[in-house]
PDB file of all heavy atoms in Angstrom:
ATOM      1  N   THR A   1     -87.850 272.007 164.421  1.00  0.00           N
ATOM      2  CA  THR A   1     -88.836 272.019 163.344  1.00  0.00           C
ATOM      3  C   THR A   1     -88.114 271.951 162.003  1.00  0.00           C
ATOM      4  O   THR A   1     -87.123 272.657 161.778  1.00  0.00           O
ATOM      5  CB  THR A   1     -89.674 273.312 163.380  1.00  0.00           C
ATOM      6  OG1 THR A   1     -90.245 273.464 164.683  1.00  0.00           O
ATOM      7  CG2 THR A   1     -90.781 273.271 162.334  1.00  0.00           C
ATOM      8  N   LEU A   2     -88.613 271.081 161.102  1.00  0.00           N
ATOM      9  CA  LEU A   2     -88.061 270.982 159.757  1.00  0.00           C
ATOM     10  C   LEU A   2     -88.847 271.918 158.846  1.00  0.00           C
ATOM     11  O   LEU A   2     -90.082 271.861 158.799  1.00  0.00           O
ATOM     12  CB  LEU A   2     -88.144 269.544 159.248  1.00  0.00           C
ATOM     13  CG  LEU A   2     -87.441 269.241 157.925  1.00  0.00           C
ATOM     14  CD1 LEU A   2     -85.931 269.398 158.062  1.00  0.00           C
ATOM     15  CD2 LEU A   2     -87.771 267.821 157.443  1.00  0.00           C
ATOM     16  N   VAL A   3     -88.138 272.773 158.116  1.00  0.00           N
ATOM     17  CA  VAL A   3     -88.790 273.823 157.337  1.00  0.00           C
ATOM     18  C   VAL A   3     -88.395 273.731 155.866  1.00  0.00           C
ATOM     19  O   VAL A   3     -87.225 273.900 155.514  1.00  0.00           O
ATOM     20  CB  VAL A   3     -88.402 275.217 157.869  1.00  0.00           C
ATOM     21  CG1 VAL A   3     -89.110 276.310 157.075  1.00  0.00           C
ATOM     22  CG2 VAL A   3     -88.720 275.341 159.356  1.00  0.00           C
ATOM     23  N   PRO A   4     -89.370 273.481 154.950  1.00  0.00           N
ATOM     24  CA  PRO A   4     -89.041 273.518 153.512  1.00  0.00           C
ATOM     25  C   PRO A   4     -88.855 274.955 153.058  1.00  0.00           C
ATOM     26  O   PRO A   4     -89.544 275.865 153.537  1.00  0.00           O
ATOM     27  CB  PRO A   4     -90.267 272.879 152.862  1.00  0.00           C
ATOM     28  CG  PRO A   4     -91.390 273.146 153.815  1.00  0.00           C
ATOM     29  CD  PRO A   4     -90.791 273.150 155.195  1.00  0.00           C
ATOM     30  N   VAL A   5     -87.929 275.162 152.129  1.00  0.00           N
ATOM     31  CA  VAL A   5     -87.714 276.504 151.601  1.00  0.00           C
ATOM     32  C   VAL A   5     -88.145 276.538 150.138  1.00  0.00           C
ATOM     33  O   VAL A   5     -87.981 275.563 149.400  1.00  0.00           O
ATOM     34  CB  VAL A   5     -86.234 276.942 151.727  1.00  0.00           C
ATOM     35  CG1 VAL A   5     -85.807 276.970 153.185  1.00  0.00           C
ATOM     36  CG2 VAL A   5     -85.317 276.033 150.915  1.00  0.00           C
ATOM     37  N   ALA A   6     -88.698 277.675 149.737  1.00  0.00           N
ATOM     38  CA  ALA A   6     -89.153 277.821 148.356  1.00  0.00           C
ATOM     39  C   ALA A   6     -87.983 278.043 147.410  1.00  0.00           C
ATOM     40  O   ALA A   6     -88.004 277.602 146.252  1.00  0.00           O
ATOM     41  CB  ALA A   6     -90.145 278.980 148.254  1.00  0.00           C
ATOM     42  N   GLN A   7     -86.951 278.733 147.874  1.00  0.00           N
ATOM     43  CA  GLN A   7     -85.758 278.991 147.077  1.00  0.00           C
ATOM     44  C   GLN A   7     -84.535 278.552 147.861  1.00  0.00           C
ATOM     45  O   GLN A   7     -84.378 278.917 149.027  1.00  0.00           O
ATOM     46  CB  GLN A   7     -85.645 280.488 146.737  1.00  0.00           C
ATOM     47  CG  GLN A   7     -86.794 281.029 145.900  1.00  0.00           C
ATOM     48  CD  GLN A   7     -86.829 280.447 144.507  1.00  0.00           C
ATOM     49  OE1 GLN A   7     -85.791 280.133 143.928  1.00  0.00           O
ATOM     50  NE2 GLN A   7     -88.032 280.280 143.950  1.00  0.00           N
ATOM     51  N   ASN A   8     -83.673 277.752 147.230  1.00  0.00           N
ATOM     52  CA  ASN A   8     -82.471 277.284 147.907  1.00  0.00           C
ATOM     53  C   ASN A   8     -81.554 278.485 148.188  1.00  0.00           C
ATOM     54  O   ASN A   8     -81.167 279.191 147.254  1.00  0.00           O
ATOM     55  CB  ASN A   8     -81.747 276.254 147.029  1.00  0.00           C
ATOM     56  CG  ASN A   8     -80.692 275.494 147.781  1.00  0.00           C
ATOM     57  OD1 ASN A   8     -79.800 276.073 148.403  1.00  0.00           O
ATOM     58  ND2 ASN A   8     -80.773 274.172 147.734  1.00  0.00           N
ATOM     59  N   PRO A   9     -81.208 278.748 149.443  1.00  0.00           N
ATOM     60  CA  PRO A   9     -80.404 279.939 149.755  1.00  0.00           C
ATOM     61  C   PRO A   9     -79.009 279.928 149.133  1.00  0.00           C
ATOM     62  O   PRO A   9     -78.412 280.986 148.922  1.00  0.00           O
ATOM     63  CB  PRO A   9     -80.319 279.925 151.285  1.00  0.00           C
ATOM     64  CG  PRO A   9     -80.580 278.505 151.671  1.00  0.00           C
ATOM     65  CD  PRO A   9     -81.538 277.976 150.651  1.00  0.00           C
ATOM     66  N   LEU A  10     -78.495 278.763 148.808  1.00  0.00           N
ATOM     67  CA  LEU A  10     -77.175 278.700 148.182  1.00  0.00           C
ATOM     68  C   LEU A  10     -77.172 279.333 146.797  1.00  0.00           C
ATOM     69  O   LEU A  10     -76.168 279.910 146.371  1.00  0.00           O
ATOM     70  CB  LEU A  10     -76.702 277.247 148.084  1.00  0.00           C
ATOM     71  CG  LEU A  10     -76.269 276.579 149.380  1.00  0.00           C
ATOM     72  CD1 LEU A  10     -76.056 275.092 149.152  1.00  0.00           C
ATOM     73  CD2 LEU A  10     -75.017 277.210 149.923  1.00  0.00           C
ATOM     74  N   ASP A  11     -78.299 279.243 146.097  1.00  0.00           N
ATOM     75  CA  ASP A  11     -78.336 279.715 144.713  1.00  0.00           C
ATOM     76  C   ASP A  11     -78.125 281.226 144.616  1.00  0.00           C
ATOM     77  O   ASP A  11     -77.512 281.715 143.661  1.00  0.00           O
ATOM     78  CB  ASP A  11     -79.661 279.315 144.064  1.00  0.00           C
ATOM     79  CG  ASP A  11     -79.840 277.805 143.983  1.00  0.00           C
ATOM     80  OD1 ASP A  11     -78.859 277.081 144.254  1.00  0.00           O
ATOM     81  OD2 ASP A  11     -80.956 277.350 143.685  1.00  0.00           O
ATOM     82  N   ALA A  12     -78.615 281.962 145.597  1.00  0.00           N
ATOM     83  CA  ALA A  12     -78.436 283.416 145.587  1.00  0.00           C
ATOM     84  C   ALA A  12     -76.999 283.811 145.926  1.00  0.00           C
ATOM     85  O   ALA A  12     -76.531 284.882 145.531  1.00  0.00           O
ATOM     86  CB  ALA A  12     -79.397 284.060 146.582  1.00  0.00           C
ATOM     87  N   LEU A  13     -76.293 282.935 146.647  1.00  0.00           N
ATOM     88  CA  LEU A  13     -74.909 283.220 147.043  1.00  0.00           C
ATOM     89  C   LEU A  13     -73.916 282.838 145.948  1.00  0.00           C
ATOM     90  O   LEU A  13     -72.823 283.387 145.884  1.00  0.00           O
ATOM     91  CB  LEU A  13     -74.569 282.451 148.324  1.00  0.00           C
ATOM     92  CG  LEU A  13     -75.464 282.698 149.542  1.00  0.00           C
ATOM     93  CD1 LEU A  13     -75.069 281.751 150.668  1.00  0.00           C
ATOM     94  CD2 LEU A  13     -75.367 284.146 149.988  1.00  0.00           C
ATOM     95  N   TRP A  14     -74.302 281.901 145.095  1.00  0.00           N
ATOM     96  CA  TRP A  14     -73.408 281.322 144.084  1.00  0.00           C
ATOM     97  C   TRP A  14     -73.378 282.247 142.868  1.00  0.00           C
ATOM     98  O   TRP A  14     -74.092 282.047 141.890  1.00  0.00           O
ATOM     99  CB  TRP A  14     -73.926 279.937 143.723  1.00  0.00           C
ATOM    100  CG  TRP A  14     -72.994 279.069 142.961  1.00  0.00           C
ATOM    101  CD1 TRP A  14     -71.795 279.402 142.406  1.00  0.00           C
ATOM    102  CD2 TRP A  14     -73.200 277.683 142.640  1.00  0.00           C
ATOM    103  NE1 TRP A  14     -71.246 278.325 141.771  1.00  0.00           N
ATOM    104  CE2 TRP A  14     -72.082 277.259 141.900  1.00  0.00           C
ATOM    105  CE3 TRP A  14     -74.215 276.774 142.916  1.00  0.00           C
ATOM    106  CZ2 TRP A  14     -71.964 275.955 141.430  1.00  0.00           C
ATOM    107  CZ3 TRP A  14     -74.102 275.479 142.445  1.00  0.00           C
ATOM    108  CH2 TRP A  14     -72.985 275.073 141.711  1.00  0.00           C
ATOM    109  N   SER A  15     -72.534 283.264 142.921  1.00  0.00           N
ATOM    110  CA  SER A  15     -72.546 284.331 141.916  1.00  0.00           C
ATOM    111  C   SER A  15     -72.103 283.863 140.535  1.00  0.00           C
ATOM    112  O   SER A  15     -72.565 284.376 139.513  1.00  0.00           O
ATOM    113  CB  SER A  15     -71.669 285.494 142.374  1.00  0.00           C
ATOM    114  OG  SER A  15     -70.336 285.060 142.593  1.00  0.00           O
ATOM    115  N   ASP A  16     -71.200 282.893 140.478  1.00  0.00           N
ATOM    116  CA  ASP A  16     -70.712 282.415 139.182  1.00  0.00           C
ATOM    117  C   ASP A  16     -71.265 281.031 138.855  1.00  0.00           C
ATOM    118  O   ASP A  16     -70.602 280.207 138.245  1.00  0.00           O
ATOM    119  CB  ASP A  16     -69.180 282.394 139.148  1.00  0.00           C
ATOM    120  CG  ASP A  16     -68.584 281.521 140.239  1.00  0.00           C
ATOM    121  OD1 ASP A  16     -69.333 281.124 141.176  1.00  0.00           O
ATOM    122  OD2 ASP A  16     -67.371 281.228 140.184  1.00  0.00           O
ATOM    123  N   ARG A  17     -72.497 280.803 139.257  1.00  0.00           N
ATOM    124  CA  ARG A  17     -73.132 279.504 139.041  1.00  0.00           C
ATOM    125  C   ARG A  17     -73.237 279.205 137.550  1.00  0.00           C
ATOM    126  O   ARG A  17     -73.694 280.045 136.765  1.00  0.00           O
ATOM    127  CB  ARG A  17     -74.521 279.501 139.668  1.00  0.00           C
ATOM    128  CG  ARG A  17     -75.211 278.147 139.681  1.00  0.00           C
ATOM    129  CD  ARG A  17     -76.596 278.271 140.296  1.00  0.00           C
ATOM    130  NE  ARG A  17     -77.258 276.981 140.347  1.00  0.00           N
ATOM    131  CZ  ARG A  17     -78.557 276.825 140.546  1.00  0.00           C
ATOM    132  NH1 ARG A  17     -79.343 277.905 140.716  1.00  0.00           N
ATOM    133  NH2 ARG A  17     -79.096 275.612 140.587  1.00  0.00           N
ATOM    134  N   PRO A  18     -72.819 278.003 137.115  1.00  0.00           N
ATOM    135  CA  PRO A  18     -72.894 277.656 135.689  1.00  0.00           C
ATOM    136  C   PRO A  18     -74.345 277.613 135.188  1.00  0.00           C
ATOM    137  O   PRO A  18     -75.281 277.452 135.970  1.00  0.00           O
ATOM    138  CB  PRO A  18     -72.251 276.264 135.627  1.00  0.00           C
ATOM    139  CG  PRO A  18     -71.441 276.153 136.873  1.00  0.00           C
ATOM    140  CD  PRO A  18     -72.170 276.951 137.902  1.00  0.00           C
ATOM    141  N   ALA A  19     -74.486 277.723 133.888  1.00  0.00           N
ATOM    142  CA  ALA A  19     -75.812 277.622 133.265  1.00  0.00           C
ATOM    143  C   ALA A  19     -76.251 276.154 133.235  1.00  0.00           C
ATOM    144  O   ALA A  19     -75.413 275.241 133.240  1.00  0.00           O
ATOM    145  CB  ALA A  19     -75.759 278.174 131.850  1.00  0.00           C
ATOM    146  N   PRO A  20     -77.551 275.899 133.209  1.00  0.00           N
ATOM    147  CA  PRO A  20     -78.031 274.520 133.074  1.00  0.00           C
ATOM    148  C   PRO A  20     -77.530 273.901 131.774  1.00  0.00           C
ATOM    149  O   PRO A  20     -77.285 274.615 130.789  1.00  0.00           O
ATOM    150  CB  PRO A  20     -79.556 274.677 133.068  1.00  0.00           C
ATOM    151  CG  PRO A  20     -79.811 275.981 133.734  1.00  0.00           C
ATOM    152  CD  PRO A  20     -78.652 276.858 133.360  1.00  0.00           C
ATOM    153  N   PRO A  21     -77.371 272.578 131.725  1.00  0.00           N
ATOM    154  CA  PRO A  21     -76.870 271.931 130.509  1.00  0.00           C
ATOM    155  C   PRO A  21     -77.876 272.035 129.369  1.00  0.00           C
ATOM    156  O   PRO A  21     -79.088 272.122 129.588  1.00  0.00           O
ATOM    157  CB  PRO A  21     -76.668 270.480 130.949  1.00  0.00           C
ATOM    158  CG  PRO A  21     -77.598 270.297 132.098  1.00  0.00           C
ATOM    159  CD  PRO A  21     -77.645 271.619 132.803  1.00  0.00           C
ATOM    160  N   ALA A  22     -77.339 272.021 128.154  1.00  0.00           N
ATOM    161  CA  ALA A  22     -78.200 272.139 126.968  1.00  0.00           C
ATOM    162  C   ALA A  22     -77.784 271.138 125.896  1.00  0.00           C
ATOM    163  O   ALA A  22     -77.836 271.427 124.702  1.00  0.00           O
ATOM    164  CB  ALA A  22     -78.140 273.556 126.430  1.00  0.00           C
ATOM    165  N   ALA A  23     -77.351 269.943 126.313  1.00  0.00           N
ATOM    166  CA  ALA A  23     -76.891 268.937 125.357  1.00  0.00           C
ATOM    167  C   ALA A  23     -78.061 268.416 124.516  1.00  0.00           C
ATOM    168  O   ALA A  23     -79.191 268.304 125.011  1.00  0.00           O
ATOM    169  CB  ALA A  23     -76.230 267.776 126.098  1.00  0.00           C
ATOM    170  N   PRO A  24     -77.824 268.092 123.258  1.00  0.00           N
ATOM    171  CA  PRO A  24     -78.908 267.576 122.420  1.00  0.00           C
ATOM    172  C   PRO A  24     -79.387 266.204 122.883  1.00  0.00           C
ATOM    173  O   PRO A  24     -78.608 265.396 123.389  1.00  0.00           O
ATOM    174  CB  PRO A  24     -78.267 267.491 121.030  1.00  0.00           C
ATOM    175  CG  PRO A  24     -76.795 267.431 121.271  1.00  0.00           C
ATOM    176  CD  PRO A  24     -76.553 268.219 122.514  1.00  0.00           C
ATOM    177  N   VAL A  25     -80.669 265.965 122.722  1.00  0.00           N
ATOM    178  CA  VAL A  25     -81.281 264.665 123.023  1.00  0.00           C
ATOM    179  C   VAL A  25     -81.382 263.901 121.713  1.00  0.00           C
ATOM    180  O   VAL A  25     -81.986 264.383 120.745  1.00  0.00           O
ATOM    181  CB  VAL A  25     -82.661 264.838 123.662  1.00  0.00           C
ATOM    182  CG1 VAL A  25     -83.306 263.476 123.931  1.00  0.00           C
ATOM    183  CG2 VAL A  25     -82.556 265.649 124.947  1.00  0.00           C
ATOM    184  N   LYS A  26     -80.778 262.715 121.678  1.00  0.00           N
ATOM    185  CA  LYS A  26     -80.707 261.938 120.447  1.00  0.00           C
ATOM    186  C   LYS A  26     -81.456 260.623 120.582  1.00  0.00           C
ATOM    187  O   LYS A  26     -81.674 260.123 121.683  1.00  0.00           O
ATOM    188  CB  LYS A  26     -79.235 261.659 120.095  1.00  0.00           C
ATOM    189  CG  LYS A  26     -78.386 262.911 119.934  1.00  0.00           C
ATOM    190  CD  LYS A  26     -76.934 262.561 119.661  1.00  0.00           C
ATOM    191  CE  LYS A  26     -76.073 263.815 119.511  1.00  0.00           C
ATOM    192  NZ  LYS A  26     -74.647 263.488 119.266  1.00  0.00           N
ATOM    193  N   ALA A  27     -81.797 260.042 119.449  1.00  0.00           N
ATOM    194  CA  ALA A  27     -82.441 258.726 119.443  1.00  0.00           C
ATOM    195  C   ALA A  27     -81.387 257.640 119.637  1.00  0.00           C
ATOM    196  O   ALA A  27     -80.274 257.739 119.125  1.00  0.00           O
ATOM    197  CB  ALA A  27     -83.185 258.522 118.132  1.00  0.00           C
ATOM    198  N   HIS A  28     -81.744 256.598 120.405  1.00  0.00           N
ATOM    199  CA  HIS A  28     -80.881 255.441 120.603  1.00  0.00           C
ATOM    200  C   HIS A  28     -81.269 254.376 119.577  1.00  0.00           C
ATOM    201  O   HIS A  28     -82.454 254.074 119.408  1.00  0.00           O
ATOM    202  CB  HIS A  28     -81.060 254.905 122.024  1.00  0.00           C
ATOM    203  CG  HIS A  28     -80.124 253.801 122.392  1.00  0.00           C
ATOM    204  ND1 HIS A  28     -78.767 253.856 122.152  1.00  0.00           N
ATOM    205  CD2 HIS A  28     -80.346 252.606 123.001  1.00  0.00           C
ATOM    206  CE1 HIS A  28     -78.197 252.754 122.605  1.00  0.00           C
ATOM    207  NE2 HIS A  28     -79.132 251.976 123.114  1.00  0.00           N
ATOM    208  N   ARG A  29     -80.265 253.838 118.889  1.00  0.00           N
ATOM    209  CA  ARG A  29     -80.539 252.922 117.783  1.00  0.00           C
ATOM    210  C   ARG A  29     -81.390 251.730 118.203  1.00  0.00           C
ATOM    211  O   ARG A  29     -81.167 251.108 119.250  1.00  0.00           O
ATOM    212  CB  ARG A  29     -79.220 252.426 117.190  1.00  0.00           C
ATOM    213  CG  ARG A  29     -78.605 253.404 116.229  1.00  0.00           C
ATOM    214  CD  ARG A  29     -77.251 252.953 115.731  1.00  0.00           C
ATOM    215  NE  ARG A  29     -77.178 251.550 115.325  1.00  0.00           N
ATOM    216  CZ  ARG A  29     -76.092 250.994 114.786  1.00  0.00           C
ATOM    217  NH1 ARG A  29     -75.017 251.754 114.591  1.00  0.00           N
ATOM    218  NH2 ARG A  29     -76.093 249.731 114.450  1.00  0.00           N
ATOM    219  N   ALA A  30     -82.364 251.386 117.374  1.00  0.00           N
ATOM    220  CA  ALA A  30     -83.294 250.310 117.685  1.00  0.00           C
ATOM    221  C   ALA A  30     -82.588 248.965 117.832  1.00  0.00           C
ATOM    222  O   ALA A  30     -82.958 248.146 118.680  1.00  0.00           O
ATOM    223  CB  ALA A  30     -84.373 250.231 116.606  1.00  0.00           C
ATOM    224  N   ASP A  31     -81.545 248.735 117.000  1.00  0.00           N
ATOM    225  CA  ASP A  31     -80.867 247.434 117.083  1.00  0.00           C
ATOM    226  C   ASP A  31     -80.048 247.315 118.355  1.00  0.00           C
ATOM    227  O   ASP A  31     -79.724 246.197 118.784  1.00  0.00           O
ATOM    228  CB  ASP A  31     -79.996 247.191 115.846  1.00  0.00           C
ATOM    229  CG  ASP A  31     -78.993 248.295 115.602  1.00  0.00           C
ATOM    230  OD1 ASP A  31     -79.237 249.441 116.027  1.00  0.00           O
ATOM    231  OD2 ASP A  31     -77.951 248.024 114.975  1.00  0.00           O
ATOM    232  N   TYR A  32     -79.685 248.430 118.998  1.00  0.00           N
ATOM    233  CA  TYR A  32     -79.005 248.375 120.293  1.00  0.00           C
ATOM    234  C   TYR A  32     -80.015 248.274 121.436  1.00  0.00           C
ATOM    235  O   TYR A  32     -79.767 247.616 122.440  1.00  0.00           O
ATOM    236  CB  TYR A  32     -78.134 249.611 120.504  1.00  0.00           C
ATOM    237  CG  TYR A  32     -76.931 249.697 119.585  1.00  0.00           C
ATOM    238  CD1 TYR A  32     -76.416 250.936 119.225  1.00  0.00           C
ATOM    239  CD2 TYR A  32     -76.334 248.550 119.080  1.00  0.00           C
ATOM    240  CE1 TYR A  32     -75.317 251.034 118.377  1.00  0.00           C
ATOM    241  CE2 TYR A  32     -75.238 248.631 118.233  1.00  0.00           C
ATOM    242  CZ  TYR A  32     -74.737 249.880 117.882  1.00  0.00           C
ATOM    243  OH  TYR A  32     -73.649 249.964 117.050  1.00  0.00           O
ATOM    244  N   ALA A  33     -81.159 248.951 121.286  1.00  0.00           N
ATOM    245  CA  ALA A  33     -82.176 248.946 122.338  1.00  0.00           C
ATOM    246  C   ALA A  33     -82.886 247.597 122.437  1.00  0.00           C
ATOM    247  O   ALA A  33     -83.196 247.124 123.534  1.00  0.00           O
ATOM    248  CB  ALA A  33     -83.201 250.049 122.088  1.00  0.00           C
ATOM    249  N   GLY A  34     -83.171 246.986 121.301  1.00  0.00           N
ATOM    250  CA  GLY A  34     -83.792 245.668 121.308  1.00  0.00           C
ATOM    251  C   GLY A  34     -85.287 245.637 121.592  1.00  0.00           C
ATOM    252  O   GLY A  34     -85.899 244.576 121.578  1.00  0.00           O
ATOM    253  N   GLU A  35     -85.880 246.791 121.871  1.00  0.00           N
ATOM    254  CA  GLU A  35     -87.321 246.861 122.133  1.00  0.00           C
ATOM    255  C   GLU A  35     -87.763 248.292 121.862  1.00  0.00           C
ATOM    256  O   GLU A  35     -87.075 249.245 122.243  1.00  0.00           O
ATOM    257  CB  GLU A  35     -87.636 246.474 123.578  1.00  0.00           C
ATOM    258  CG  GLU A  35     -89.125 246.428 123.890  1.00  0.00           C
ATOM    259  CD  GLU A  35     -89.430 246.029 125.332  1.00  0.00           C
ATOM    260  OE1 GLU A  35     -88.480 245.928 126.131  1.00  0.00           O
ATOM    261  OE2 GLU A  35     -90.617 245.828 125.656  1.00  0.00           O
ATOM    262  N   ASP A  36     -88.926 248.466 121.216  1.00  0.00           N
ATOM    263  CA  ASP A  36     -89.354 249.816 120.889  1.00  0.00           C
ATOM    264  C   ASP A  36     -90.115 250.444 122.050  1.00  0.00           C
ATOM    265  O   ASP A  36     -90.613 249.752 122.939  1.00  0.00           O
ATOM    266  CB  ASP A  36     -90.166 249.842 119.598  1.00  0.00           C
ATOM    267  CG  ASP A  36     -91.456 249.029 119.673  1.00  0.00           C
ATOM    268  OD1 ASP A  36     -92.120 249.061 120.727  1.00  0.00           O
ATOM    269  OD2 ASP A  36     -91.791 248.359 118.682  1.00  0.00           O
TER     270      ASP A  36
END
């Protein structure tokens, strides 16, 4: 039987798990994108 889990069991074991990324979201220049 295949069983979905609500919480990944690895996450509770990973004591020094890094924080999620928080990099800024920037606009891409219109002249490089070529379409709005």
Side-chain angles (χ1 to χ4, degrees):
T1 306
L2 188 66
V3 181
V5 299
Q7 298 293 328
N8 194 306
L10 287 171
D11 297 350
L13 303 174
W14 194 352
S15 59
D16 58 347
R17 188 181 181 196
V25 178
K26 302 177 181 179
H28 186 47
R29 279 176 45 176
D31 55 334
Y32 292 151
E35 184 180 8
D36 62 39

